[in-house]
Amino acid sequence: MADLSFTRRRAILLLSLTSVILITMDLRGSSVINFTRSAFGVVFRPIESATKVVTRPLGNAWNGMTHYNEVVEENHRLNDLVAFSEGSTISAIASVREAQELLSLNGLPTLAGIASCTAQVVGQSPSNFTQTVEINRGSECGLKVGMPVLNAAGMIGKITDVYNKRSVVMLLSDPGYSLAVKVVNIPAPTTTTTAAPGTVVGDTTTTTFTTTTTTLPRVTTTTGIPGFVPGVTIATSSTLAPLPGEVTVPVGDVGPNQPGKSTNSEITVPAGLDVPLRETGALEGRGISRTPIVRFVENQPRFGAVRIGSPIISAGGATSLAPPDIVIGSVSRIVNRTGTLGPILEVALAANLKNLNFVRILLYQPSSERVVAP
Amino acid sequence: MIERVLLLAENRYARLILIGLMVLSLQTTVFNDMRPFGVCLQVMVLLAASAGLARGSDVGAIAGFIIGLLYDLVLTTPMGLCAAVFAIVGYLAGVGQSLVYEPTWWTRMLLGSIASAIGMILLPIVSTVTGATGILNARVLFVALIVGLFNAVLSVPAERLCRWALTEPAVVR
């Protein structure tokens, strides 16, 4: 026998050397090792899947024996959370309804005014290169190519083929999908520092209204600016003491000005100052294994830096296939680019595209495509 | 073609690879979920120890190397690390078995348990040598104890399985 021809020392030496070579190759990032691992994965995954199916009852029995109490406790906790969420949802629905009424009163388009058709996903594309699903509604329901498709979480795609009783929906993750979107950025909270009454900062005067009180650290500083004392406590008042010869600004008697609130002050902060800033871009799918991205977001100083978690909604517009303000997802990653190129935003979709069942098709057509009655 | 397949099936290491794949699938599924005291049970190291118990230190070392290599292919640790450790485990189990006069089922259980525990101690040591940090601590002993106790229970059937798989081709024919 060949294996028995090895002496013990030779066998041990060979095994040791092989191990050392393999470890060295792997630690140096050898592509051969990576290829071997991935090839083994292709062979092993079906075996593992079959074993998982067979041993599931065993695993469930074990988990039932060992984790029963934890599951019961978690169930109680989640029931409380559901009760809490239901209350919040009712309040949110009321807010949304108010917002829609306001939009309607101002003649602005709302989702509530768009008819819709509910359908069920009945199949998935067998192709590896397109991300589409088939639904059980078609032209009989008034569906047309290009109409946006949503589920409870948000937008999932658009209609690409319509038949009598079925349609094909291209998912957001398909590389051929593109849509105008808005990124809603919430400005970072800022702290404003103002000077104390009677304190002159340099040769100029800044009038600021704020409720923030900031104490500067007491450090020994020398300055040549007349009247400026380093290390004083500042911003104890909302106004500055007037300099000789300056016009006095009257102060409101209801405290500092608030956005949207009227005071007796002649200077008011306009309402909507803290309204989230929005920037448009183009959403593009990149296949099932990669998250969609948003391009063409401009680097505007007013817009500021995009934050992870910022919501992404449809932009709407005369030529857009989707109405405005449909939830798409949130920013999951920001890839900054040099120069004037805006960042590329990776999007975590609100809808789970891997688990689709009932969907809603908005019977929406952009104004540019609507047939005008003679 | 069929004769080639039969010849391959006669090879004891080919049979060991097939059994290794089956045990590996159990390791990554059911034993990955069952974590008594928070310890993931290690049946792959038991298979290596059982190979040594069944067929001696030389065959045990080679079988342990093969089983460890299979395990390396699904782990994120450097390739060859488990292979080296399991080869030592298989070799030690074989040496231990050879030192026992008239081995019985309970000596095999004990040896399988000790070899598994040694493997669980060696694994973080070798990992640390290859650059891993933070894994060599007192918990290693606890893990070795739990794995050793569990593997003692399964060592007798595992040893029989390995004895069958590593049978000489002539005997099989």
Side-chain angles (χ1 to χ4, degrees):
Chain A
M1 287 296 129
D3 52 358
L4 294 176
S5 67
F6 285 104
T7 63
R8 179 174 292 179
R9 281 183 186 174
R10 277 182 188 172
I12 290 168
L13 190 68
L14 193 64
L15 293 177
S16 307
L17 275 175
T18 311
S19 297
V20 170
I21 289 167
L22 284 173
I23 289 169
T24 309
M25 283 174 73
D26 197 7
L27 289 176
R28 291 180 70 84
S30 167
S31 58
V32 178
I33 301 289
N34 292 336
F35 173 77
T36 311
R37 273 204 166 115
S38 59
F40 181 78
V42 171
V43 176
F44 180 64
R45 292 294 168 247
I47 301 170
E48 190 184 38
S49 300
T51 311
K52 195 174 279 183
V53 171
V54 173
T55 59
R56 186 169 293 158
L58 192 63
N60 289 345
W62 171 265
N63 287 329
M65 284 188 289
T66 54
H67 301 302
Y68 177 79
N69 291 333
E70 291 167 27
V71 171
V72 169
E73 280 175 18
E74 192 180 9
N75 191 30
H76 289 317
R77 192 174 56 80
L78 290 175
N79 275 332
D80 290 342
L81 270 177
V82 166
F84 176 76
S85 298
E86 278 173 356
S88 305
T89 305
I90 291 163
S91 148
I93 287 169
S95 302
V96 168
R97 188 157 294 172
E98 279 178 5
Q100 286 176 344
E101 281 172 7
L102 276 172
L103 288 168
S104 300
L105 283 171
N106 288 287
L108 296 169
T110 64
L111 286 181
I114 302 169
S116 65
C117 171
T118 304
Q120 190 172 16
V121 175
V122 290
Q124 203 166 5
S125 166
S127 169
N128 291 313
F129 307 107
T130 55
Q131 312 299 320
T132 57
V133 292
E134 197 175 304
I135 56 173
N136 61 356
R137 293 282 190 166
S139 54
E140 49 152 19
C141 192
L143 303 192
K144 288 182 180 173
V145 171
M147 287 181 170
V149 186
L150 299 77
N151 72 354
M155 185 176 279
I156 64 162
K158 65 179 178 185
I159 305 275
T160 52
D161 290 296
V162 180
Y163 305 98
N164 186 27
K165 288 189 175 179
R166 64 187 185 92
S167 304
V168 177
V169 179
M170 179 190 278
L171 299 177
L172 284 170
S173 56
D174 190 284
Y177 191 92
S178 183
L179 181 73
V181 294
K182 288 184 283 193
V183 184
V184 184
N185 210 15
I186 301 160
T190 53
T191 304
T192 310
T193 305
T194 57
T199 307
V200 177
V201 182
D203 295 332
T204 59
T205 306
T206 307
T207 306
T208 312
F209 297 92
T210 178
T211 55
T212 308
T213 301
T214 307
T215 305
L216 296 180
R218 292 189 177 277
V219 291
T220 308
T221 315
T222 56
T223 175
I225 302 170
F228 176 69
V229 184
V232 294
T233 302
I234 56 175
T236 53
S237 170
S238 59
T239 57
L240 297 176
L243 288 174
E246 274 190 336
V247 178
T248 306
V249 179
V251 181
D253 55 0
V254 291
N257 287 341
Q258 298 289 325
K261 286 187 179 175
S262 176
T263 66
N264 293 333
S265 170
E266 292 176 4
I267 302 170
T268 57
V269 181
L273 194 67
D274 286 339
V275 167
L277 305 171
R278 298 179 177 202
E279 189 55 76
T280 56
L283 179 91
E284 295 173 5
R286 296 193 299 167
I288 194 72
S289 58
R290 302 170 75 189
T291 54
I293 54 168
V294 176
R295 291 181 189 275
F296 311 129
V297 178
E298 291 182 22
N299 259 335
Q300 290 188 358
R302 182 174 172 271
F303 185 64
V306 181
R307 289 205 224 152
I308 289 173
S310 296
I312 292 173
I313 56 177
S314 60
T319 56
S320 178
L321 290 172
D325 300 332
I326 297 179
V327 175
I328 290 169
S330 59
V331 176
S332 62
R333 187 164 165 256
I334 301 158
V335 181
N336 288 312
R337 295 188 289 179
T338 54
T340 54
L341 295 168
I344 288 178
L345 313 177
E346 290 192 7
V347 182
L349 295 174
N352 181 7
L353 299 184
K354 291 176 183 172
N355 188 20
L356 293 171
N357 190 13
F358 285 102
V359 295
R360 190 161 65 104
I361 304 102
L362 293 181
L363 305 181
Y364 171 84
Q365 279 191 295
S367 56
S368 59
E369 290 187 15
R370 280 178 207 153
V371 179
V372 181
Chain B
M1 179 68 185
I2 294 170
E3 284 191 0
R4 280 188 183 178
V5 174
L6 287 173
L7 277 173
L8 189 69
E10 278 185 5
N11 187 302
R12 56 183 176 182
Y13 293 118
R15 285 199 301 274
L16 182 74
I17 288 170
L18 292 175
I19 286 172
L21 282 174
M22 292 295 125
V23 177
L24 182 62
S25 67
L26 289 172
Q27 175 69 67
T28 56
T29 54
V30 67
F31 290 111
N32 200 19
D33 293 336
M34 291 167 64
R35 290 173 179 257
F37 306 105
V39 174
C40 182
L41 302 173
Q42 299 293 323
V43 283
M44 291 301 278
V45 74
L46 172 68
L47 202 64
S50 302
L53 291 173
R55 294 292 167 196
S57 55
D58 292 355
V59 176
I62 296 167
F65 184 84
I66 292 168
I67 292 159
L69 212 54
L70 286 175
Y71 204 20
D72 276 327
L73 286 165
V74 296
L75 294 178
T76 54
T77 51
M79 176 82 92
L81 195 140
C82 284
V85 172
F86 287 12
I88 295 169
V89 168
Y91 181 81
L92 288 177
V95 169
Q97 177 80 338
S98 66
L99 295 176
V100 178
Y101 178 71
E102 288 185 358
T104 57
W105 63 270
W106 64 267
T107 58
R108 282 195 286 273
M109 274 179 72
L110 193 65
L111 286 170
S113 171
I114 291 169
S116 300
I118 289 172
M120 286 301 98
I121 293 168
L122 279 178
L123 209 53
I125 292 172
V126 179
S127 294
T128 304
V129 170
T130 58
T133 53
I135 54 172
L136 198 58
N137 49 37
R139 187 176 152 74
V140 169
L141 297 174
F142 179 68
V143 171
L145 177 71
I146 299 296
V147 170
L149 285 173
F150 177 79
N151 285 359
V153 176
L154 284 183
S155 64
V156 173
E159 191 258 340
R160 285 188 184 166
L161 187 69
C162 285
R163 189 179 290 279
W164 170 80
L166 295 169
T167 312
E168 293 287 342
V171 178
V172 172
R173 192 174 292 168

